[in-house]
Amino acid sequence: MDDSHLHLRLAGVIRLALGGGRGPTDAYVFDPHRLALPAWACALGVEGSPALLVTLDRHLDLVPPVAPAAVPDRSAGLRALDEHARWSLDVRNYDHVLAAMEAGLVGDALVLARTKPRGTTTADTYVDTRGRTHRLVVVPTVDRAAEAYHQPAPGDRVRDVLEAAERVLLDVDLDCFTSLSDADPMTVLPWPLDVIREYLLPPGSEPFWDAVLGRCVALTLAREPHHCGGLLASGRLFQDVAQVLFREVLRTEPP
């Protein structure tokens, strides 16, 4: 099987060809976010420098893997990383980012997220078990990331990691566009279309998106239905997010 068909071995991962827009030509869609690990491996291959990960999420998925030294290196191949993601990573889907650093797929990470799961690292760097240091740049929103890119304040590192990147992976968790109900914290409220657009495309964000998409080699999109109100609610949310993310951010037709 040639490399162009390796994704067909990834059960539950849908590969989409994107064309006519800006940014990546490939997208990978799946449900549990930990399947980003083999999707990133498929997108990047076994050679080349690690990519900068730009990830949009409701949660800071920066929990260290339980056994970081057990994460296969990218040279072990797609099958090893896929098996590790499915059987060894946390089913809460919170440790795949640092696992990707252990694997040599991701260098630095620019994380746009709002809530901290239990066990989330609070350090601004992560040193993997191979001794490599990765910068962790955390901002809550696209608006804040765009501001830090355009007019950096002392301590802002958004522009630093974007300008240093040779390749970028853009990663989106659908639950980024949800909130928990104030009346019932167990109830998930999907955002309406206009709020999604306001979040993804705030005024002045074009330079930031140009920097992200100019070197972006792939988009990964986790649907996480259990974090988005269930199958039907997540399906409707996916349609709204796709309208903005694909048509207005990537300037291509939605899947």
Side-chain angles (χ1 to χ4, degrees), residues 169-192:
L169 292 165
L170 176 60
D171 175 67
V172 178
D173 190 331
L174 198 62
D175 73 10
C176 179
F177 310 101
T178 65
S179 300
L180 298 180
S181 169
D182 290 336
D184 179 7
M186 300 301 293
T187 298
V188 176
L189 303 176
W191 293 355

Side-chain angles (χ1 to χ4, degrees), residues 177 191-200:
F177 310 101
W191 293 355
L193 182 62
D194 58 340
V195 176
I196 295 168
R197 180 177 292 111
E198 182 180 340
Y199 179 89
L200 283 175

Side-chain angles (χ1 to χ4, degrees), residues 8 34 36 53 91 103 105 109 126 133 138 180 187 191-192 197 213 230 236 243:
L8 297 177
R34 63 187 181 277
L53 176 66
V91 294
L105 293 167
Y126 176 73
T133 299
V138 176
L180 298 180
T187 298
W191 293 355
R197 180 177 292 111
L213 298 175
R236 291 188 291 267
Q243 290 298 315

Side-chain angles (χ1 to χ4, degrees), residues 148-232:
Y149 177 79
H150 183 60
Q151 294 181 316
D156 283 342
R157 297 179 298 159
V158 172
R159 178 179 287 183
D160 292 343
V161 294
L162 280 170
E163 290 186 345
E166 295 181 13
R167 296 188 291 178
V168 172
L169 292 165
L170 176 60
D171 175 67
V172 178
D173 190 331
L174 198 62
D175 73 10
C176 179
F177 310 101
T178 65
S179 300
L180 298 180
S181 169
D182 290 336
D184 179 7
M186 300 301 293
T187 298
V188 176
L189 303 176
W191 293 355
L193 182 62
D194 58 340
V195 176
I196 295 168
R197 180 177 292 111
E198 182 180 340
Y199 179 89
L200 283 175
L201 290 170
S205 61
E206 278 303 305
F208 167 75
W209 281 119
D210 287 342
V212 171
L213 298 175
R215 299 172 187 175
C216 186
V217 295
L219 164 70
T220 49
L221 179 54
R223 293 183 291 202
E224 293 282 9
H226 58 294
H227 284 164
C228 297
L231 287 173
L232 294 180

Side-chain angles (χ1 to χ4, degrees), residues 1 5 24 26 81 97 115-117 147 153 168 170 178 217 229 233-234 241 245 250:
M1 179 178 294
H5 292 93
D26 288 311
L81 286 163
V97 172
T115 63
K116 293 182 179 180
E147 179 185 4
V168 172
L170 176 60
T178 65
V217 295
S234 66
V241 170
L245 179 61
L250 301 180

Side-chain angles (χ1 to χ4, degrees), residues 3 5 82 108 141:
D3 289 351
H5 292 93
D82 183 49
D108 299 328
T141 61

